[in-house]
Amino acid sequence: MKREIESCKGIKWIGFAVLMILVNTGCRKSQPVLNIPQLVKITEVAQYGGKSSVTYPGKIKAAENVKLAFRVAGPVKKVYVSEGQQVKKGQLLAEIDPRDYQLQYDASLAEYTQVKGEADRVIELYRRGSVSVNEYDKAVAAKKRVTALYDANRNALNDTRLRAPFDGYIQNKYFSAPEIVAQGTPVLSMIDDRYFEVNADIPVNDFIRREDFVGYYAVADAYPQVQLPLELIDISQGANYNQLFNVRFRLQGNVVKGLAAGMSVTVTISFRPGTEELSVVPVSALFQERGKSYVWLFEEQTQTVHKTVVWVEQMNKDGSVLVKSDLRLGQTIISAGVNDLKDGQKVRPLPSVPASNVGGLL
């Protein structure tokens, strides 16, 4: 009897528990579902193609800095120039003592005069049929040999004089009289001042638009009011360790008096307007679907998002991406949490941090 009573109590408790579950379930179903828009971070699209020019720091370099050496060896007789001196093309810069080379030249000149005269007589007699072919061949060979020796000694004598290969100025002087220099050892270094080179480094953003470069000029720190026209020489096809590409320009040296190698300049590159529809978006705004890249475009009036396809052109080190798309300057896109959104979903932009709230701590 006691066991039957305990069984009935157990059944009552089970029934009570089931009843409470049904009541709670009914209460949950009767509560309205809250549709709270998701908080998102937004940013504006930047139109890369809108920039008409960019400016980068640069440096003036000597267009041609050459080391000058004698083609012959010997003691330096005299150096006629000093460091920093302006010289003209063909001007005598230095000279090696020509004594030994003069003797060799005089000896070869005497031999050349004698052998050439004899050979010419034999050649003339051969034309008249008075000598054999063998004698003619010997005369021609002797003339060639003595002529080559004479030319070599004459050139060696001329090479004892070092002349300026172009207009410019002397950069360094390495030897003085009566030091002995070996053949090919640099004696002077000289800089061509008819024109300079200007070097600047550009980022990949501008390198990919190099076909749209249309104009260049530089402004030297020493002459801030003067625009120095530049001529593009070349652009390196490989980036350095900073992911920058070197650009070389030619600058005419007579544009402004006083320009010198080593001066700092700012280089301005102008672009052909409206040639590319490139937009700049943060890399965090991109998401992938079926092998394509998209961003969420934020519609301010409806507070909803819609996906827009983009084609990635270049990833930048600063976290931005160059894309081709239908995006326009000033449009708003979602820049964080893009993988949790759905097309047409209502969202709520995060409020901007006031300027007084440094670091967003308040």
Side-chain angles (χ1 to χ4, degrees), residues 128-185:
R128 297 178 182 180
S130 301
V131 295
S132 65
V133 175
N134 185 43
E135 291 178 341
Y136 169 78
D137 290 340
K138 288 180 179 180
V140 171
K143 184 178 180 181
K144 286 183 178 180
R145 179 188 59 79
V146 74
T147 300
L149 180 62
Y150 167 74
D151 289 340
N153 288 324
R154 183 184 59 183
N155 292 336
L157 180 60
N158 290 334
D159 289 339
T160 60
R161 300 176 182 89
L162 188 61
R163 300 185 181 275
F166 46 74
D167 294 345
Y169 65 91
I170 303 301
Q171 176 80 347
N172 294 298
K173 182 171 70 172
Y174 305 113
F175 288 90
S176 300
E179 294 178 286
I180 297 177
V181 295
Q183 178 183 358
T185 301

Side-chain angles (χ1 to χ4, degrees), residues 17-35:
V18 171
L19 178 62
M20 291 303 294
I21 292 172
L22 292 175
V23 170
N24 289 336
T25 302
C27 291
R28 288 195 188 100
K29 287 183 178 179
S30 63
Q31 291 178 352
V33 178
L34 297 178
N35 186 15

Side-chain angles (χ1 to χ4, degrees), residues 232-250:
L232 179 65
I233 298 176
D234 59 44
I235 303 175
S236 66
Q237 298 302 302
N240 59 21
Y241 61 91
N242 288 324
Q243 291 300 299
L244 299 175
F245 295 81
N246 183 256
V247 186
R248 296 169 58 231
F249 302 94
R250 180 176 288 109

Side-chain angles (χ1 to χ4, degrees), residues 90-110:
Q91 181 177 335
L92 183 61
L93 305 179
E95 188 176 4
I96 280 182
D97 188 347
R99 181 190 60 184
D100 295 337
Y101 298 99
Q102 184 69 53
L103 292 175
Q104 293 175 6
Y105 170 75
D106 292 343
S108 63
L109 175 60

Side-chain angles (χ1 to χ4, degrees), residues 37-42 298 305 334-337 341 347-351:
Q38 181 175 331
L39 283 173
V40 293
K41 186 178 180 181
I42 61 174
F298 176 65
V305 293
I334 309 302
S335 59
L341 300 177
V347 295
R348 184 159 52 97
L350 283 169

